[in-house]
């Protein structure tokens, strides 16, 4: 198994490559920027890109998706509840003062319960609205791994002051959908260091049921 996470772009979004060297396939999660670097890494690893998975439609997570799709032919998957945000890309670019990346509607919605990823490393989609209405986490149960987007961070939670954000909802999403996962589940957040479900259940100051 190949699992590489590295920050991309001015907001340092964590981009993840998960690869199966036996099958020669990979998925990329949240190619927000630096698509050339992501594409080079896939080539170095000899992996064909199977899916581009987007945890939510903020520019720092989705900004490079269409470019990567054009380079590789891989489909883009994004939860349909974030389509309004995807259409606000020019405004989002204005927030951080960067050129507006070209976007296109996803090929498929990352609907709750959908199984995505690689044959040997599948993930179940967990819809966790609150940071945005279409935010999802990807649970790779056999790998004891959760890719959490901007829903859950080490010692923090996602901001809810942007369009589509809802602070009650994000806490409810985390408490009802994520904290029930096994304690040893490694959490890869959309920004910053990794953590575990157990550590966040025990000490995350934003969660009520401690
Ligand atoms: Zn975000």
């Amino acid at each position: 198994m190949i699992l590489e996470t590295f920050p991309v772009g001015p907001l340092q979004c964590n981009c993840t490559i998960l690869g199966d060297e036996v099958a020669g396939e990979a998925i990329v999660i949240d190619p927000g920027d630096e698509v050339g670097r992501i594409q080079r890494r896939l080539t170095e690893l000899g992996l064909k890109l199977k899916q581009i998975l987007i945890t939510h439609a903020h520019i720092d997570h989705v900004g490079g998706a269409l470019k990567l799709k054009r380079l590789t032919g891989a489909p883009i998957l994004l939860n349909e509840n974030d389509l309004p945000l995807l259409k606000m890309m020019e405004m989002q670019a204005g927030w951080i003062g960067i050129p507006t990346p070209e976007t296109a509607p996803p090929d498929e919605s990352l609907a709750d319960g959908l199984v995505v990823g690689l044959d040997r490393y599948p993930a179940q989609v967990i819809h966790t609205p609150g940071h945005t209405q279409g935010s999802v986490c990807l649970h790779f149960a056999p790998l004891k791994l959760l890719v959490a987007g901007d829903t859950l961070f080490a010692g923090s939670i996602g901001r809810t002051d942007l369009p589509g954000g809802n602070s009650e909802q994000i806490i409810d999403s985390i408490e009802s959908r994520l904290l029930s996962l096994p304690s040893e589940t490694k959490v890869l957040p959309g920004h910053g260091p990794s953590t575990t479900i157990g550590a966040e259940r025990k000490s995350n100051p934003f969660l009520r049921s401690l």
Side-chain angles (χ1 to χ4, degrees):
M1 182 185 72
I2 294 157
L3 180 63
E4 296 187 0
T5 297
F6 46 94
V8 295
L11 297 184
Q12 297 284 280
C13 163
N14 283 330
C15 173
T16 293
I17 296 176
L18 174 66
D20 177 347
E21 61 271 66
V22 177
E25 290 181 334
I27 55 170
V28 168
I29 305 168
D30 286 353
D33 204 346
E34 302 186 42
V35 171
R37 175 186 176 190
I38 297 166
Q39 160 78 350
R40 270 197 305 281
R41 193 65 191 127
L42 290 169
T43 304
E44 282 167 10
L45 293 165
L47 299 174
K48 179 177 161 51
L49 189 58
K50 194 180 164 196
Q51 286 173 339
I52 300 165
L53 305 174
I54 309 297
T55 60
H56 64 291
H58 278 155
I59 188 170
D60 51 326
H61 295 256
V62 73
L66 184 58
K67 202 170 164 187
L68 188 59
K69 176 182 172 174
R70 286 182 176 146
L71 286 169
T72 62
I76 298 172
L77 287 83
L78 165 75
N79 185 276
E80 63 190 340
N81 293 292
D82 264 2
L83 288 178
L85 265 183
L86 193 67
K87 292 183 185 134
M88 292 165 55
M89 206 46 60
E90 196 169 335
M91 188 178 128
Q92 292 198 48
W95 293 341
I96 49 176
I98 62 168
T100 308
E102 207 182 331
T103 56
D107 297 280
E108 189 178 351
S109 177
L110 279 180
D112 189 60
L114 186 72
V115 175
V116 295
L118 302 172
D119 292 340
R120 286 209 298 162
Y121 309 123
Q124 191 158 29
V125 177
I126 305 176
H127 183 214
T128 51
H131 175 64
T132 68
Q133 288 307 299
S135 281
V136 300
C137 296
L138 301 171
H139 184 219
F140 298 85
L143 301 180
K144 297 182 166 55
L145 175 71
L146 183 79
V147 178
D150 286 358
T151 296
L152 180 63
F153 297 116
S156 188
I157 62 173
R159 62 189 289 185
T160 53
D161 58 328
L162 297 172
N166 182 317
S167 56
E168 288 290 314
Q169 204 181 21
I170 193 172
I171 288 173
D172 185 60
S173 286
I174 294 169
E175 295 190 340
S176 68
R177 304 298 308 274
L178 303 185
L179 294 190
S180 53
L181 298 175
S183 296
E184 66 272 24
T185 307
K186 184 179 179 179
V187 179
L188 285 181
H191 301 267
S194 62
T195 179
T196 63
I197 289 293
E200 297 313 307
R201 197 192 287 131
K202 196 170 162 193
S203 65
N204 189 308
F206 292 88
L207 305 176
R208 289 181 295 242
S209 56
L210 301 176

